[in-house]
Amino acid sequence: MQIQEKMTFETWPAVPEKETLEGRNKFLGFWLFLGGETVLFATLFATYLALKDKVPGPDHPLAQDLYSMPLVFVMTMLLLTSSLTSVYAIYHMKNFNFKKMRFWFIITVLLGLGFLGCEIYEFNHYVHDYNHTFSSSAFGSAFYTLVGFHGAHVIFGLCWITALVVRNWRRGLSLYNAPKFYVASLYWHFIDVVWVFIFSVVYLMGMVG
Amino acid sequence: MNSYAQKRGFLATLWDYLTTVDHKKIAILYLVAGGFFFVLGGIEALLIRVQLAVPNNDFMSADMFNQVMTMHGTTMIFLAAMPLLFALMNAVLPLQIGARDVAFPFINALGFWLFLFGGIFLNLSWFLGGAPDAGWTSYASLSLASEGKRIDFYTLGLQISGFGTLMAGINFIVTIINMRTTGMTYMRMPMFTWTTFVACSLILFAFPPLTISIFFLIFDRLFGAQFFNVDMGGNTIIWEHLFWIFGHPEVYILVLPAFGIFSEVISTFSRKRLFGYASMVFATVLIGFLGFMVWAHHMFTTGLGPIANAIFAVATMAIAVPTGIKIFNWLLTMWGGSIKLTTPMLYAVAFIPSFVIGGVTGIMNAASVADYQYHDTYFVVGHFHYVILGGVVFAVLAGLHFYWPKMFGTMLNETLGKITFWLFLIGFHLTFFVQHFLGLMGMPRRTFTFLEGQGLETGNYISSIGSVLMAVASVILVINIIITSVKNKKVGNDPWGDGRTLEWSISSPPPYYNFKQLPLVRSIDAYWHEKMEGRKEMPPAEPLGDIHMPNPSFIPFMISFGLFIAAFGAMYRPDYSWGLPVLIGGLVITFGSMLVRSLKDDLGTYIKKEELDDDKGVKA
Ligand SMILES: [Cu+2]
C-alpha cells in the first residue's frame, strides 16, 4: 500500500501504524528508544535511592517531612486518566475516526497540563516552604533530577502531541501520519509507567520512611 | 538524479555531504572525521611517549601531561575507534543484508553530525583555557576539583556525541531486524552484521547510564547540584559505578564489531565457510550479555568488600569462555583452508595472538586479589592497549584495506599495505609489551615522569621507540591512500576474487540505490553459494520496479549545531550574563529543527524503472 494514498474507512488497514515499512521501522525504533529510556530512568532511580535523605545537617527536611499524599494522588489520577484517554484516541485512529481521535488527544493534553501544573506547584512548595532545593543537598539534587526529568518528558510529550494534532487538524488520517500518532501515544504511556514507579518508589516509600 | 553524472563544483559537493542521508556517504564522513581524530589522538600518544622516553623529562609540565593523557584516551575511544567502526558499519552493513538503505537515513545523518559537533566542542578546549585533565574516566573527586572550564568541555562534548552514538545504535538495530532481504534469515546473516547487531544493543543499554552520569557532573559543576559533593550528602562512588556500567560494555561495543570484521576477513581469505557459525553467534550474544555483569572489576580497590569483588571476579573470568570459543573458531576456519595472506588477512592473523595476550592479562586483572598489585599501574595500560589496539585498531585497519574497494572503487596498494602492517605490528608490541613489566615493577599509570635508577629507563625507552614505528606506519598508510586516490584505478564487483557475502555481488562503489533488484538469499555466504553453483549474479527477489529513496536534509546538521551552541551557553552561564540566552537560543535551534522535521512531510522520491536501465548501461 502506498504511503500517499487517500484512505477511506473501507481501505483503512487494521494495523495502520505498521502498514508501511516506514511505519514498521518507526514502531520498532521507538520501542528500542523506550528501552534506552528505561535504562535512563533506572539509573536515575538507583541514584535517588542511594542519595535519599542524604542531607548536610539535621535541619534539612527529609523525604518523610516533604511529601503529601493528597497532591500526589491527584497527580497520579490525572496522569493515569490521560493514559486512558490516549488509548481512546488510538482506538479511534484504528477506526479511521479522525475527529474523535483529535478530541481524545486534546483531552489527553489537558490532563497532562493539569499534572504539570500540580508538579510546578509541588516544586514551588518544597522550595519556598521547606528550603528543599536543587542545591540544598544531594537528596535535593537527586529528587529534582529524577522527578524533573520525568516532568521534562511530560512537557516534551505535550508539545509533541499538540504539534501533531495542530499540524493534521484538517488533513485527517493517512498512512503517513498514523505511525506518528501511534508512537506519540506510546511515549505518553511510557511517561505514565515511569510515573507509577516514581509514585511508589519516591512518594510511597518516602512516606513510609 | 541525472545530476549524479554531472561534474560538480566544490560547493555543490560540500552541500551534498552536509545534507546527505545516504549511508555510503555517511560512511565516508565517519571515516574522514574518525581518521582525523585518530591522527589527533595519535599525536597526543606520541607526546606522552616523548615525555616518558627518558627519566626526569621536562618536555611537558605535569599539568600539560594530564591534559594530553586525558584527551588521548577520550579522543581515541569516543572520537576515533567508535566512528571508524561506524564508518565500516555504514559502508557495508546495509549491503550485507541486501538492503537499499538503513531504516532511518535521517537519524543516521543526525548521529554523525552530533558526534562531529561533540568532538569539535571537546577539542576546542585546547584553545579556550585548557583541555580536560581528570583522565578519560573523569572520576568525580578529580573532576570536581579541576579548575576552569576543562571538565565542562569533556562533559558537554561527550554528551552531544553520546546522543549521536545512541541514534546510530538504534538505527542499525532496526535496520538489521526490518530491512533484511528475502531469505536473509537471522542465521544466514554475515558475522559482521551479527556482531554489529549485538554491539548496537549494548550501545542502547550502556549509553543511558553514561548520559545520566554526565548530566550529574554537568549539574554539579554548572548548575549547583550536589551529587558528588560529600559535604552535602553526595557520593563520588556513584560516578564510578555509572561510568563503568557504561565503560565495560563499551569495550565490547568496540571489540565485537572488530570480531565481526575478522570473521569476514578470515573466512574470505581462508576461502572456507566460517567454522562454527552458530557457536560464533552464540558466543557473541553471550559476551554481550555477560558484558553488563562485570563493571565492578574496575573498582576492586574501591572497597566494595570481598563478596562483591569475588562475584565480579568470577563473572569477569566467565567471559573468557565465549571469547575462547571465538578464538578456536577462527583458528579452525583457517585450518585446512586455502589461505591468501593479503593485508587484511595479515592483520587478522596477527590479531589472534595479540588479542590472546590482552585476554590473558585481563584474566590476571580479574583475579581481584592480585588486582590490588596491578591496579593503576602500567600493567593495566599494557593490558587494555593489547585489547583495544590488538583488537579494535587492527580490525579497523584490516577492514579499511578489505572494504576500501567497496567504499571507493579502488584497491589500496598491497605492498605499502604490508609495510604498514609490519611496522605497525612490531611498533605495537614494542610499545606495549614492556609496559606490563614496567607496571609490575611499580610504575604507576598516568604518571608524568619517573626517577632515574629505579629500573624503569630501558622499558620506557623501548616503549617510546615502538610508538614512533606505529606513527611511521600510519604515515605510510596515508601515503598509500593518497597514491591510490591519485591513480584512481577502478576495480570490479569482487576485487578480492573471494567475496562471500552480498556486498561483493554489486559494483564498487555501489550505485546510490545499492541493489537494482533486491537479491534472493538461498544460503549462508549467499554470493559464494551462487558462485559455487556457477552463477555470476545473485538471483533477484523482486521484479524490476520503481525504487523509493529518502530526500536529503539539512536538519540533522541544524539539530546538532543547536546543541553545540547551547553547550557554550551552559558552560559560560555561571560567569557571563550572555550564557543563559545562548543556552536557550541553542536549544531553540535544536528543538525548532526537530519541530520542522516533525511537521514537514518528507515522503521521499522515486527512481523510475527506466532510469535504472540507463544506469546499467553506464555501469557496464
Ligand atoms: Cu571492564
Side-chain angles (χ1 to χ4, degrees):
Chain A
M1 218 170 285
Q2 295 294 353
I3 202 162
Q4 295 101 323
E5 215 169 294
K6 193 90 195 123
M7 305 299 288
T8 64
F9 183 77
E10 281 69 36
T11 54
W12 191 242
V15 195
E17 72 274 10
K18 290 208 277 181
E19 188 61 27
T20 60
L21 178 62
E22 286 81 0
R24 284 193 293 279
N25 287 344
K26 208 167 257 185
F27 178 83
L28 179 63
F30 203 78
W31 270 107
L32 291 170
F33 172 73
L34 291 183
E37 288 259 85
T38 306
V39 183
L40 197 119
F41 275 103
T43 312
L44 288 169
F45 275 110
T47 310
Y48 172 80
L49 287 176
L51 295 178
K52 184 185 167 214
D53 291 346
K54 295 288 188 302
V55 292
D59 48 343
H60 192 286
L62 301 178
Q64 263 173 315
D65 313 323
L66 288 167
Y67 308 142
S68 86
M69 196 48 160
L71 179 67
V72 181
F73 181 76
V74 170
M75 289 166 75
T76 307
M77 279 306 131
L78 283 172
L79 211 56
L80 284 179
T81 316
S82 77
S83 220
L84 181 69
T85 54
S86 77
V87 172
Y88 287 155
I90 292 304
Y91 171 80
H92 291 298
M93 187 270 274
K94 296 213 173 195
N95 285 317
F96 202 63
N97 192 334
F98 178 72
K99 289 226 170 82
K100 281 192 176 158
M101 181 194 82
R102 196 172 68 187
F103 171 77
W104 285 112
F105 269 132
I106 292 170
I107 300 294
T108 305
V109 168
L110 291 178
L111 289 167
L113 282 173
F115 170 88
L116 210 57
C118 292
E119 186 150 85
I120 291 166
Y121 166 79
E122 187 203 4
F123 283 7
N124 201 38
H125 175 60
Y126 294 157
V127 168
H128 290 107
D129 301 341
Y130 290 94
N131 270 325
H132 172 64
T133 70
F134 189 59
S135 303
S136 65
S137 67
F139 170 46
S141 304
F143 170 80
Y144 286 110
T145 306
L146 170 60
V147 184
F149 250 81
H150 176 266
H153 275 72
V154 171
I155 295 173
F156 188 85
L158 290 175
C159 294
W160 187 7
I161 295 177
T162 310
L164 281 179
V165 168
V166 171
R167 170 72 178 98
N168 295 292
W169 193 265
R170 289 172 198 288
R171 296 207 303 174
L173 280 163
S174 69
L175 290 178
Y176 181 68
N177 62 24
K180 292 189 176 214
F181 282 116
Y182 187 86
V183 159
S185 88
L186 264 188
Y187 186 74
W188 196 254
H189 289 309
F190 174 76
I191 291 170
D192 199 39
V193 171
V194 172
W195 179 259
V196 170
F197 279 90
I198 291 181
F199 178 70
S200 359
V201 172
V202 176
Y203 292 103
L204 283 185
M205 280 169 66
M207 276 178 261
V208 174
Chain B
M1 288 302 144
N2 290 328
S3 57
Y4 266 84
Q6 289 162 5
K7 279 257 181 239
R8 295 159 140 259
F10 171 74
L11 281 179
T13 313
L14 182 70
W15 180 249
D16 188 27
Y17 274 92
L18 286 176
T19 58
T20 186
V21 292
D22 179 354
H23 67 93
K24 297 176 289 296
K25 285 186 180 157
I26 291 173
I28 293 171
L29 288 172
Y30 267 120
L31 185 67
V32 171
F36 169 75
F37 285 121
F38 184 75
V39 170
L40 211 60
I43 291 170
E44 282 151 5
L46 285 175
L47 295 178
I48 291 173
R49 282 325 310 171
V50 170
Q51 167 65 19
L52 292 175
V54 289
N56 275 323
N57 200 355
D58 59 357
F59 173 72
M60 267 192 266
S61 66
D63 178 50
M64 193 61 192
F65 186 89
N66 283 344
Q67 299 175 47
V68 171
M69 164 279 280
T70 300
M71 286 301 278
H72 164 68
T74 313
T75 303
M76 283 302 197
I77 296 277
F78 292 100
L79 307 181
M82 285 215 289
L84 287 172
L85 289 170
F86 278 139
L88 294 171
M89 290 175 193
N90 267 302
V92 293
L93 190 135
L95 309 180
Q96 280 199 327
I97 58 173
R100 292 224 169 83
D101 212 327
V102 293
F104 304 112
F106 178 90
I107 283 181
N108 200 17
L110 178 61
F112 169 76
W113 292 111
L114 285 169
F115 140 70
L116 186 66
F117 275 110
I120 292 173
F121 186 84
L122 180 60
N123 276 285
L124 282 178
S125 61
W126 288 114
F127 309 103
L128 296 169
D133 56 356
W136 87 279
T137 55
S138 207
Y139 274 19
S141 33
L142 285 176
S143 50
L144 285 190
S146 172
E147 311 256 318
K149 296 294 171 197
R150 297 173 170 188
I151 301 298
D152 305 319
F153 280 104
Y154 172 95
T155 52
L156 295 161
L158 285 193
Q159 196 70 311
I160 297 173
S161 77
F163 291 143
T165 309
L166 198 58
M167 300 285 118
I170 291 177
N171 175 39
F172 281 122
I173 300 176
V174 179
T175 304
I176 293 171
I177 293 178
N178 274 3
M179 307 287 281
R180 285 166 293 132
T181 188
T182 314
M184 179 58 79
T185 59
Y186 281 105
M187 290 312 270
R188 284 180 187 168
M189 292 197 309
M191 264 325 280
F192 182 52
T193 301
W194 256 113
T195 52
T196 299
F197 184 50
V198 175
C200 288
S201 315
L202 295 187
I203 287 177
L204 179 60
F205 294 116
F207 265 72
L210 178 73
T211 305
I212 289 299
S213 55
I214 289 180
F215 266 131
F216 290 166
L217 206 47
I218 292 175
F219 290 168
D220 264 22
R221 284 185 55 98
L222 298 174
F223 295 91
Q226 312 288 358
F227 287 103
F228 305 124
N229 186 348
V230 179
D231 291 341
M232 302 296 274
N235 184 344
T236 60
I237 306 299
I238 290 174
W239 169 272
E240 292 188 30
H241 277 295
L242 296 185
F243 185 85
W244 288 117
I245 287 174
F246 147 78
H248 190 83
E250 169 69 12
V251 179
Y252 297 111
I253 293 168
L254 293 175
V255 93
L256 286 178
F259 287 172
I261 292 168
F262 286 129
S263 301
E264 305 289 336
V265 168
I266 289 175
S267 152
T268 302
F269 294 114
S270 303
R271 288 179 259 192
K272 249 180 87 185
R273 195 182 142 165
L274 187 68
F275 185 89
Y277 173 85
S279 69
M280 264 328 209
V281 171
F282 169 74
T284 306
V285 176
L286 193 61
I287 289 174
F289 179 72
L290 288 176
F292 278 101
M293 320 267 160
V294 298
W295 78 88
H297 64 211
H298 298 268
M299 302 164 61
F300 282 151
T301 60
T302 300
L304 301 177
I307 294 178
N309 279 6
I311 291 170
F312 280 100
V314 173
T316 304
M317 292 179 192
I319 297 190
V321 177
T323 315
I325 292 176
K326 281 176 167 278
I327 297 282
F328 282 110
N329 279 337
W330 288 316
L331 293 176
L332 290 168
T333 306
M334 285 191 267
W335 184 275
S338 133
I339 295 178
K340 249 206 284 193
L341 279 178
T342 58
T343 307
M345 187 63 173
L346 284 174
Y347 280 109
V349 173
F351 147 79
I352 294 177
S354 305
F355 193 80
V356 166
I357 293 174
V360 168
T361 52
I363 296 291
M364 290 169 73
N365 282 319
S368 56
V369 184
D371 183 67
Y372 275 76
Q373 285 297 315
Y374 312 135
H375 190 88
D376 263 352
T377 70
Y378 257 81
F379 186 84
V380 176
V381 178
H383 156 71
F384 68 70
H385 279 93
Y386 263 80
V387 176
I388 303 283
L389 255 102
V392 183
V393 176
F394 277 24
V396 167
L397 291 172
L400 197 66
H401 286 88
F402 189 49
Y403 291 119
W404 191 270
K406 199 42 71 184
M407 289 178 79
F408 298 100
T410 53
M411 283 285 257
L412 287 174
N413 183 298
E414 275 288 284
T415 316
L416 285 178
K418 282 175 185 165
I419 294 172
T420 306
F421 164 75
W422 283 109
L423 283 175
F424 203 90
L425 179 74
I426 294 166
F428 159 68
H429 282 284
L430 221 49
T431 307
F432 296 109
F433 197 72
V434 284
Q435 291 188 355
H436 296 107
F437 299 99
L438 288 172
L440 292 177
M441 285 190 277
M443 182 168 162
R445 179 183 178 182
R446 291 168 176 159
T447 186
F448 90 104
T449 191
F450 54 94
L451 294 176
E452 268 171 274
Q454 297 185 328
L456 303 176
E457 289 98 328
T458 320
N460 274 298
Y461 195 64
I462 293 175
S463 184
S464 293
I465 290 177
S467 67
V468 174
L469 289 186
M470 282 192 281
V472 175
S474 309
V475 171
I476 294 180
L477 176 63
V478 174
I479 292 173
N480 193 355
I481 290 173
I482 294 172
I483 291 179
T484 308
S485 312
V486 171
K487 273 192 190 159
N488 201 17
K489 193 162 154 270
K490 294 291 176 197
V491 293
N493 293 2
D494 186 12
W496 297 104
D498 299 306
R500 308 180 71 80
T501 38
L502 292 178
E503 70 267 31
W504 304 111
S505 71
I506 51 177
S507 64
S508 317
Y512 53 97
Y513 46 80
N514 294 354
F515 296 93
K516 201 159 83 168
Q517 287 166 289
L518 292 179
L520 175 68
V521 172
R522 300 197 285 187
S523 159
I524 191 169
D525 293 336
Y527 184 45
W528 183 262
H529 174 80
E530 300 302 333
K531 284 197 279 189
M532 290 298 106
E533 306 248 298
R535 265 176 291 269
K536 288 211 168 65
E537 283 186 345
M538 294 300 300
E542 57 172 15
L544 200 55
D546 297 352
I547 294 177
H548 181 242
M549 297 300 288
N551 288 324
S553 173
F554 191 54
I555 296 176
F557 185 95
M558 288 308 289
I559 293 177
S560 316
F561 179 69
L563 285 180
F564 180 76
I565 298 294
F568 277 107
M571 190 163 63
Y572 290 112
R573 191 196 56 92
D575 312 302
Y576 302 97
S577 57
W578 52 262
L580 192 61
V582 171
L583 170 61
I584 294 170
L587 291 178
V588 166
I589 295 177
T590 295
F591 286 106
S593 307
M594 285 165 71
L595 189 67
V596 172
R597 169 68 185 169
S598 176
L599 299 188
K600 231 181 90 193
D601 285 0
D602 181 11
L603 298 166
T605 49
Y606 280 90
I607 313 172
K608 291 268 169 290
K609 253 196 309 219
E610 299 72 41
E611 290 185 50
L612 292 176
D613 281 325
D614 286 355
D615 251 331
K616 195 182 182 187
V618 173
K619 288 269 152 27

